[in-house]
Amino acid sequence: MSNKKEWPLWEVFIRGKQGLNHKHVGSLRASDYKMAVDNARDVYTRRSEGVSIWVVESSNLYASDPDEAASFFEPADSKIYRHPTFYDVPDDISHM
Amino acid sequence: MNNKLFEYTLRIADDSLILGQRLSELCGHGPILEEDIALTNISLDLIGQATNLLEYAASIENKQRDADKLAFLRVDKEYKNSLLVEQPNGDFGSTIVRQFLFDSFRRPFFEALASSTDESLAAIAKKSLKETKYHLKHSSEWVIRLGDGTSESHQRVQKSIDVLWRYHSDLFYEDEVDLALVSENIAPSFKEIKKEFNQHVLAVLEEATLKLPDNNWEFTGGRKGMHSEHLGHLLAEMQYMQRAYPNMEW
């Protein structure tokens, strides 16, 4: 980017309907949280995608380090006993 | 009475149609991506309102002119929109001030029209009111941001108010058409609406550190089909396809 001052970046989370979680849908630029909510409404809910909006300034998010992915996530791969797959599910229980 | 109801419905429809067309010119040209989408959304809301209103107008007229024919095949003098909505987009501040003055009028207007004894107009007003409330929030916040922003944005948006304020009285133009419908409780009287308009405009301008211009030069005529030169250029573009390829559809 040039040295032109840009508005901060915001991450947008939308709740699809009552009872569901807010989900990350994308990001946008806005000068403050009010404008961010309005812009999110205009950009991400045009097709009735949601009933509630959260915005978080991207600079307030902290992420895991991709270089640490191996030590972070791979140890879980070998712990199959953490999945509840050792139970016999009776035949007449559906949706499991 | 049907002639008057047709005329009245056309005035409301044309405000939405012409402002919708104006805003659509900005599609792909907004100052930032997010605002580009916001203005286009508003444009589509207005064109949707115009569709409902013109369909109703066509049914009142009952002369085998449908909504499309009313939208695309009239000459400029037959359009009854207010002078404000046909004014060019200008810079972003000017687009926003035009929108702000219009939305400030439209919110109390639709609120009042929602209790019209004419069921179709009441239903359209109720539906449009939800959209209009958001438009007003959007344009009011921008007036405040620009007015109370940098000295450059303040000076430019103040200039837009000085220029566009002269067209606001055309929104409240009242003649025998309105008066006849007011007496039937079909149309709301403009008295209360103007009061609410003034209150909202003044409150927002104060917060935005802006003011109304000193001179009270006023233009009217749009409701009678007497337009500024800008409308003809707008119509040329809007009507081109139907004029060049009559009855084309896609």
Side-chain angles (χ1 to χ4, degrees):
Chain A
M1 276 292 134
S2 60
N3 55 4
K4 239 167 110 180
K5 240 168 85 187
E6 267 206 279
W7 288 338
L9 197 64
W10 298 75
E11 301 302 323
V12 180
F13 301 82
I14 307 265
R15 183 204 290 278
K17 50 181 170 180
Q18 298 299 347
L20 295 182
N21 296 327
H22 284 76
K23 274 207 172 137
H24 185 242
V25 293
S27 50
L28 49 76
R29 293 200 177 269
S31 63
D32 60 29
Y33 74 90
K34 276 189 189 170
M35 194 197 283
V37 170
D38 283 2
N39 286 349
R41 181 262 189 199
D42 284 322
V43 176
Y44 291 111
T45 67
R46 304 176 71 229
R47 299 176 185 89
S48 306
E49 288 94 337
V51 295
S52 166
I53 297 172
W54 285 352
V55 292
V56 180
E57 210 175 327
S58 308
S59 61
N60 287 326
L61 285 178
Y62 299 90
S64 60
D65 181 352
D67 290 341
E68 288 177 28
S71 61
F72 249 56
F73 304 117
E74 280 173 26
D77 291 349
S78 57
K79 314 285 194 299
I80 53 168
Y81 49 85
R82 290 182 183 166
H83 295 275
T85 52
F86 297 99
Y87 300 94
D88 290 326
V89 180
D91 289 341
D92 47 352
I93 304 280
S94 46
H95 306 302
M96 283 289 281
Chain B
M1 186 49 80
N2 263 4
N3 279 343
K4 290 202 166 85
L5 186 58
F6 173 72
E7 181 74 16
Y8 184 73
T9 307
L10 217 49
R11 290 176 180 180
I12 311 170
D14 286 345
D15 272 358
S16 295
L17 179 67
I18 300 302
L19 187 54
Q21 173 70 17
R22 268 286 180 242
L23 288 174
S24 77
E25 291 169 12
L26 292 170
C27 181
H29 300 274
I32 54 160
L33 175 77
E34 290 82 354
E35 189 56 26
D36 189 282
I37 296 175
L39 291 174
T40 314
N41 284 349
I42 296 174
S43 165
L44 286 173
D45 285 348
L46 290 168
I47 291 170
Q49 294 169 9
T51 308
N52 291 331
L53 288 158
L54 288 176
E55 277 168 0
Y56 182 49
S59 76
I60 302 167
E61 188 189 42
N62 201 13
K63 275 189 194 160
Q64 293 169 348
R65 271 207 294 186
D66 62 8
D68 281 337
K69 285 211 170 68
L70 283 173
F72 295 118
L73 297 177
R74 282 179 285 157
V75 298
D76 55 356
K77 280 194 173 159
E78 294 169 319
Y79 283 82
K80 302 300 167 62
N81 57 281
S82 67
L83 296 171
L84 177 71
V85 297
E86 71 198 39
Q87 298 309 306
N89 290 322
D91 62 13
F92 178 62
S94 159
T95 296
I96 284 297
V97 168
R98 185 187 60 202
Q99 194 65 35
F100 168 65
L101 294 176
F102 181 70
D103 297 338
S104 302
F105 158 72
R106 260 296 168 87
R107 198 210 41 180
F109 174 70
F110 276 146
E111 256 161 11
L113 189 65
S115 36
S116 165
T117 53
D118 183 297
E119 280 175 19
S120 300
L121 285 180
I124 295 171
K126 232 172 259 168
K127 181 165 184 280
S128 310
L129 179 60
K130 285 185 196 150
E131 299 166 344
T132 305
K133 280 182 177 169
Y134 183 75
H135 302 168
L136 180 60
K137 175 178 188 272
H138 183 87
S139 55
S140 301
E141 282 186 8
W142 268 114
V143 167
I144 295 167
R145 283 174 197 284
L146 294 172
D148 197 16
T150 65
S151 59
E152 171 78 5
S153 71
H154 175 92
Q155 169 247 319
R156 284 169 78 154
V157 78
Q158 179 63 59
K159 200 176 148 206
S160 300
I161 291 169
D162 295 348
V163 170
L164 291 171
W165 180 249
R166 69 191 62 159
Y167 300 110
H168 88 280
S169 1
D170 203 31
L171 295 167
F172 299 99
Y173 174 85
E174 217 164 26
D175 61 13
E176 72 284 353
V177 172
D178 305 82
L179 296 176
L181 296 177
V182 168
S183 71
E184 305 253 327
N185 290 322
I186 292 173
S189 146
F190 277 138
K191 216 175 130 202
E192 277 302 307
I193 296 169
K194 186 152 195 190
K195 218 192 235 162
E196 282 189 52
F197 168 88
N198 282 332
Q199 265 171 9
H200 183 78
V201 168
L202 288 174
V204 169
L205 289 190
E206 192 185 326
E207 197 176 341
T209 70
L210 296 162
K211 57 185 181 50
L212 291 178
D214 294 330
N215 83 52
N216 51 4
W217 185 248
E218 290 175 5
F219 283 110
T220 55
R223 302 299 186 205
K224 285 283 184 199
M226 308 290 287
H227 293 284
S228 60
E229 72 273 26
H230 304 296
L231 183 68
H233 296 281
L234 178 147
L235 292 180
E237 189 169 318
M238 189 174 89
Q239 298 185 339
Y240 171 78
M241 293 299 263
Q242 278 304 320
R243 298 286 189 198
Y245 306 94
N247 301 320
M248 75 144 350
E249 283 180 38
W250 79 82

